């Protein structure tokens, strides 16, 4: 942290800096709980074996022969990693529902009152329903054909050690602007400590002020994420910012237009400035 500098985190404040010392404090908390969240039971040993993993599987990286309906190529192998399966197991974004779905065999349903919806709302509900079905189909296929992967996903859906989210969140949280995720993972450890280590007291805690600030940031993040999901669901902006080169100028103009629409909701100049800063699709200056 020698070269880290105070910086603005506009999800938290439009005036107060986010300090490197906050990250250091979270690292110290992490070091106190890590012995409790990394011990491994015998039934998880296989899931900790190094596994080759393509971490960027989406439809633009998979080529299919439409005549035979078989995969012919998978691109972007620079994204592969070799690491314990538990650290990598997840549903790839090409099959992942836009909103989190619980693992298991409960099938999604269309919303209540679907038959009374206007046609536009029915189409939107149909799209969400198909997206949820796609994820469930992926789960079923994984459970049948890749049982290690499914077992790892199921493990990560519990509070059994090893707990993966803090382990994944700690590395580079400052440089990647993921301090919020690290703090969130540690708060969840505190909140679920009775399930993790019922025989011991939790060695870390968070003050009410820290939790209130975190919750305010979470509300702002949730608001922006919800707005982005609406834009992406309507086809206005691309998911994950991935754009075909020939479409770039059109999408860039659309991005500017939607940003202006978003900022027009501001109640005053201060809020407009804040909304300008938190808009996700924009270039940001590099920083320590």
């Amino acid at each position: 942290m020698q070269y880290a500098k105070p910086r603005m985190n506009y999800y938290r404040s439009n005036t107060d800096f986010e300090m490197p010392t906050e990250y250091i404090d979270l690292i110290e908390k992490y070091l106190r709980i890590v012995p409790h969240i990394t011990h491994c039971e015998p039934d998880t040993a296989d899931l900790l074996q190094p596994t080759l993993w393509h971490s960027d599987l989406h439809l633009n990286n998979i080529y299919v022969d439409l005549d035979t309906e078989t995969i012919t190529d998978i691109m972007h192998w620079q994204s592969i990693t070799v690491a314990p399966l538990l650290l990598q197991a997840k549903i790839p974004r090409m099959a992942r529902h836009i909103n989190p779905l619980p693992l298991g065999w409960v099938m999604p349903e269309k919303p209540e009152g679907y038959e009374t919806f206007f046609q536009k709302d029915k189409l939107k509900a149909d799209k969400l329903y198909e997206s949820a079905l796609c994820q469930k189909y992926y789960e079923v296929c994984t459970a049948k054909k890749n049982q290690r992967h499914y077992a790892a996903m199921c493990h990560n859906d519990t509070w059994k050690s090893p707990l993966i989210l803090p382990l994944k969140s700690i590395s580079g949280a400052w440089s990647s602007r993921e301090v919020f995720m690290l703090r969130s993972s540690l708060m969840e450890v505190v909140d679920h400590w009775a399930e993790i280590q019922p025989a011991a007291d939790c060695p870390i805690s968070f003050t009410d002020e820290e939790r209130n600030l975190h919750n305010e940031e979470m509300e702002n993040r949730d608001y922006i994420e919800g707005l982005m999901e609406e834009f992406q669901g309507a086809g206005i902006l691309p998911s994950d910012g991935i754009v075909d080169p020939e479409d770039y100028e059109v999408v860039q103009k659309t991005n500017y237009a939607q940003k202006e629409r978003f900022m027009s909701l501001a109640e005053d100049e201060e809020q407009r400035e804040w909304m300008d800063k938190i808009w996700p699709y924009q270039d940001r200056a590099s920083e320590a």
Side-chain angles (χ1 to χ4, degrees):
M1 300 299 292
Q2 180 180 358
Y3 301 107
K5 300 175 182 178
R7 66 186 181 193
M8 295 306 300
N9 174 3
Y10 293 104
Y11 289 108
R12 291 183 65 183
S13 172
N14 202 28
T15 56
D16 298 330
F17 285 110
E18 182 175 55
M19 305 299 292
T21 51
E22 297 177 55
Y23 181 38
I24 293 174
D25 179 63
L26 293 175
I27 292 174
E28 291 173 348
K29 282 181 166 63
Y30 171 85
L31 292 175
R32 290 200 292 273
I33 59 104
V34 74
H36 301 279
I37 65 171
T38 54
H39 71 275
C40 301
E41 300 296 334
D43 61 349
T44 62
D46 180 53
L47 304 181
L48 291 169
Q49 294 302 308
T51 304
L52 184 71
W53 189 271
H54 193 306
S55 60
D56 194 25
L57 275 184
H58 57 81
L59 297 182
N60 286 346
N61 284 343
I62 300 174
Y63 286 70
V64 176
D65 185 320
L66 297 181
D67 294 328
T68 62
E69 297 184 352
T70 56
I71 294 174
T72 59
D73 295 283
I74 295 178
M75 310 299 290
H76 274 213
W77 285 96
Q78 67 267 33
S79 300
I80 65 168
T81 53
V82 176
L85 180 58
L86 281 180
L87 290 176
Q88 308 191 83
K90 62 182 179 181
I91 295 174
R93 58 177 169 165
M94 64 181 180
R96 193 183 311 142
H97 187 45
I98 191 170
N99 296 316
L101 287 178
L103 287 174
W105 308 123
V106 178
M107 297 304 294
E109 298 179 354
K110 292 185 178 181
E112 186 177 351
Y114 170 83
E115 296 301 330
T116 65
F117 287 6
F118 291 113
Q119 186 62 26
K120 181 180 71 172
D121 296 327
K122 280 188 175 181
L123 291 174
K124 183 178 180 180
D126 288 342
K127 186 174 181 180
L128 290 173
Y129 177 67
E130 290 170 3
S131 171
L133 282 180
C134 180
Q135 175 170 323
K136 287 301 174 181
Y137 180 72
Y138 178 87
E139 286 183 36
V140 171
C141 290
T142 302
K144 289 182 177 180
K145 299 181 179 182
N146 192 346
Q147 295 178 6
R148 286 183 70 243
H149 181 199
Y150 188 72
M153 289 196 300
C154 289
H155 172 92
N156 290 346
D157 201 40
T158 71
W159 290 100
K160 295 179 181 178
S161 183
L163 294 180
I164 299 307
L165 190 55
L167 303 180
K168 294 176 70 173
S169 301
I170 187 68
S171 179
W174 179 267
S175 59
S176 60
R177 285 187 166 269
E178 293 293 347
V179 175
F180 171 83
M181 290 301 300
L182 174 59
R183 186 189 308 110
S184 181
S185 71
L186 295 177
M187 285 183 173
E188 288 187 348
V189 167
V190 173
D191 294 342
H192 291 85
W193 188 256
E195 301 169 59
I196 300 167
Q197 284 285 0
D201 293 333
C202 184
I204 66 173
S205 62
F206 290 89
T207 66
D208 289 342
E209 181 181 3
E210 288 172 326
R211 286 184 177 272
N212 289 337
L213 286 172
H214 181 81
N215 289 337
E216 289 176 8
E217 180 175 355
M218 181 166 58
E219 288 178 5
N220 290 333
R221 288 177 177 271
D222 287 346
Y223 173 72
I224 294 299
E225 288 176 7
L227 191 65
M228 292 302 102
E229 287 174 1
E230 287 186 19
F231 289 159
Q232 291 162 4
I236 297 173
L237 291 173
S239 176
D240 298 324
I242 297 174
V243 181
D244 290 332
E246 60 269 23
D247 297 332
Y248 180 77
E249 289 188 9
V250 173
V251 174
Q252 190 177 46
K253 291 178 180 178
T254 303
N255 175 46
Y256 291 148
Q258 293 304 322
K259 181 180 178 182
E260 285 300 316
R261 174 188 162 194
F262 170 61
M263 292 171 59
S264 70
L265 302 174
E267 297 179 357
D268 52 43
E269 189 58 34
E270 181 179 354
Q271 190 178 46
R272 180 178 173 84
E273 180 182 352
W274 172 74
M275 295 169 92
D276 176 48
K277 299 294 186 182
I278 63 173
W279 181 257
Y281 295 129
Q282 57 184 313
D283 295 330
R284 300 188 185 277
S286 60
E287 57 187 22

